[in-house]
Amino acid sequence: MKVLSSLEIKAVVAELQSLINARVDQIYQPDATEIVLALHRSNLGKNLLRIIPGTALYITTKRRASPKESINFCRFLRKRLGPTKLKEIIQKNRERIVELHFEGKDSYFILIAEFFSKGNLILCDKNYIIISAFQVQLWKDRKIKAKQKYEYPPERKIDFKDFEEFKSYIQANKKESIVKTIALSLNMGGTYAEELCFRAKINKETKDPTEKDVKEIFTQLQILLSEELQPNTIQGEPYPISMHEKGKGEPQDSYNKALDQYYAQFIEEDTEKEQEREKKKNKWEDMITEQEKQRIQVERAIEENKIKAEWIYNNYMEAKEIMDLFKQKKLTELKKKGVEVEGKNLLIEIQ
């Protein structure tokens, strides 16, 4: 499943600006991997913002079923963000980090979505003090847990004041090939690093590019970063810009819609798995219910037989007399004693 690069997150965030001032209607958490914010704005209606930490965020038209009982983090977000409006969505320093700022009558919260490593969702106050996190994470120089100040991970540069700064940075962060240097040092990911090499007409496996090569990469980087959105799909894979290296794509109305179509295949797969699990669960529940009925019936029969045995024990002579009358078919006498006969059964009211 596709994990969004910093360039792709930039495209998503640009399109999400239409949601500014939208009201938080509801918050869902279908499972332990994602959060869905239902945002309503008068001229747009309701939009579902799906956030999968470590993977992606985008507007979705697919709403997955939520568990009957809300997961703790979801309940926590509902309590804090329920009466607020979305005031700002920003990508932090072209990193794979997105901040969503929410403002209420007497409150202000910042929901930080991280899409690197395992990902995370962190709710902070206006001073970036962590209130709660999707996952508690502890590193040597960084802690994601309540009451800690949120610290951004070390920044990987992608904006440069001039070519000389860019050249120095590339030389200082050189990897075994130019494509890996671009992918890792510039935080662009492999796909767009290859695209940049293709546009610069440089062999991506080159280890020691010439100054002319580096200058062409710098030029193409500026073009790529300032390029207007041209959402498209190539062999089902969504891209926010034209990909010269991969060929002509199929135009899409928006990058968010392209992502929604792409990720829908995984949601449908999840839904099928959930339905299968639900089917098995219902089967087991039916078996347990039936077994419980049988248990109750057996316990009731044991109790009834116990009462009968105690009555016979305590009223042995009377019981013997009744049995003798039954064998002699003296039904009238039995009726006088309050005993009803149904076929081979004797019905005796026991006090």
Side-chain angles (χ1 to χ4, degrees), residues 34-46:
E34 67 177 271
I35 287 285
V36 177
L37 304 179
L39 302 168
H40 185 275
R41 186 172 164 180
S42 56
N43 59 333
L44 293 176
K46 183 180 285 189

Side-chain angles (χ1 to χ4, degrees), residues 78-100:
R78 284 176 182 172
K79 186 176 179 181
R80 300 303 193 283
L81 302 183
T84 66
K85 284 187 176 182
L86 180 62
K87 303 304 290 184
E88 190 176 12
I89 310 174
I90 57 173
Q91 180 185 21
K92 186 68 176 177
N93 300 329
R94 295 190 193 268
E95 294 282 345
R96 287 189 290 165
I97 300 173
V98 175
E99 291 184 8
L100 298 97

Side-chain angles (χ1 to χ4, degrees), residues 284-296:
W284 282 108
E285 286 179 347
D286 290 343
M287 289 175 62
I288 291 169
T289 300
E290 185 60 32
Q291 288 175 355
E292 181 65 15
K293 285 181 181 177
Q294 292 176 7
R295 183 188 67 79
I296 292 171

Side-chain angles (χ1 to χ4, degrees), residues 190-244:
T191 298
Y192 296 97
E194 290 183 1
E195 173 69 11
L196 195 55
C197 289
F198 183 84
R199 292 187 181 194
K201 297 181 174 57
I202 296 169
N203 185 335
K204 65 182 182 180
E205 300 302 331
T206 299
K207 184 176 181 180
D208 297 305
T210 64
E211 183 167 333
K212 182 182 176 183
D213 291 339
V214 176
K215 194 161 191 175
E216 186 58 27
I217 292 171
F218 177 71
T219 300
Q220 292 302 323
L221 176 63
Q222 306 314 304
I223 294 171
L224 189 146
L225 292 178
S226 60
E227 198 166 309
E228 289 187 6
L229 287 179
Q230 295 181 15
N232 67 97
T233 54
I234 302 173
Q235 297 181 345
E237 192 87 6
Y239 298 98
I241 59 174
S242 296
M243 301 295 288
H244 302 182

Side-chain angles (χ1 to χ4, degrees), residues 81-332:
L81 302 183
T84 66
K85 284 187 176 182
L86 180 62
K87 303 304 290 184
E88 190 176 12
I89 310 174
I90 57 173
Q91 180 185 21
K92 186 68 176 177
N93 300 329
R94 295 190 193 268
E95 294 282 345
R96 287 189 290 165
I97 300 173
V98 175
E99 291 184 8
L100 298 97
H101 293 238
F102 297 90
E103 186 175 27
K105 186 178 179 181
D106 300 305
S107 61
Y108 196 95
F109 299 103
I110 303 167
L111 185 62
I112 301 173
E114 297 181 343
F115 299 99
F116 56 87
S117 186
K118 294 181 180 180
N120 211 340
L121 266 176
I122 304 108
L123 185 67
C124 302
D125 65 14
K126 62 181 179 181
N127 298 313
Y128 288 86
I129 301 300
I130 298 172
I131 301 171
S132 183
F134 205 53
Q135 298 179 44
V136 172
Q137 296 175 328
L138 304 175
W139 291 277
K140 182 180 177 181
D141 55 351
R142 191 167 176 260
K143 295 179 181 179
I144 302 298
K145 66 177 186 177
K147 299 182 181 179
Q148 294 284 321
K149 175 93 171 178
Y150 178 78
E151 299 288 346
Y152 289 98
E155 181 182 346
R156 282 180 287 183
K157 208 165 174 62
I158 196 169
D159 291 313
F160 303 88
K161 63 182 181 182
D162 55 32
F163 169 66
E164 290 301 322
E165 185 184 22
F166 177 75
K167 182 176 71 172
S168 298
Y169 185 79
I170 291 294
Q171 289 173 345
N173 294 276
K174 190 163 63 173
K175 310 296 179 188
E176 56 265 36
S177 65
I178 186 61
V179 72
K180 287 189 176 180
T181 300
I182 295 169
L184 300 175
S185 301
L186 299 182
N187 195 27
M188 293 187 68
T191 298
Y192 296 97
E194 290 183 1
E195 173 69 11
L196 195 55
C197 289
F198 183 84
R199 292 187 181 194
K201 297 181 174 57
I202 296 169
N203 185 335
K204 65 182 182 180
E205 300 302 331
T206 299
K207 184 176 181 180
D208 297 305
T210 64
E211 183 167 333
K212 182 182 176 183
D213 291 339
V214 176
K215 194 161 191 175
E216 186 58 27
I217 292 171
F218 177 71
T219 300
Q220 292 302 323
L221 176 63
Q222 306 314 304
I223 294 171
L224 189 146
L225 292 178
S226 60
E227 198 166 309
E228 289 187 6
L229 287 179
Q230 295 181 15
N232 67 97
T233 54
I234 302 173
Q235 297 181 345
E237 192 87 6
Y239 298 98
I241 59 174
S242 296
M243 301 295 288
H244 302 182
E245 190 258 346
K246 294 186 177 298
K248 188 175 181 180
E250 182 180 345
Q252 300 294 323
D253 293 338
S254 74
Y255 188 50
N256 273 269
K257 286 185 179 179
L259 288 173
D260 190 29
Q261 291 174 5
Y262 170 79
Y263 285 110
Q265 62 185 309
F266 303 103
I267 294 177
E268 288 167 0
E269 183 180 328
D270 287 347
T271 302
E272 289 174 5
K273 288 179 181 177
E274 286 172 8
Q275 289 174 346
E276 185 62 29
R277 282 196 294 268
E278 191 66 23
K279 188 177 177 181
K280 288 181 180 179
K281 178 185 172 186
N282 291 339
K283 182 180 177 181
W284 282 108
E285 286 179 347
D286 290 343
M287 289 175 62
I288 291 169
T289 300
E290 185 60 32
Q291 288 175 355
E292 181 65 15
K293 285 181 181 177
Q294 292 176 7
R295 183 188 67 79
I296 292 171
Q297 289 172 356
V298 169
E299 287 181 352
R300 186 178 294 139
I302 290 172
E303 185 63 26
E304 288 176 355
N305 288 332
K306 182 180 177 182
I307 293 171
K308 291 176 185 176
E310 288 178 353
W311 185 86
I312 292 172
Y313 180 79
N314 295 326
N315 302 274
Y316 176 75
M317 295 306 296
E318 184 181 352
K320 185 177 183 304
E321 182 183 354
I322 290 171
M323 289 301 297
D324 290 340
L325 290 172
F326 179 67
K327 288 176 182 179
Q328 296 166 20
K329 297 183 179 181
K330 295 183 178 180
L331 303 184
T332 304

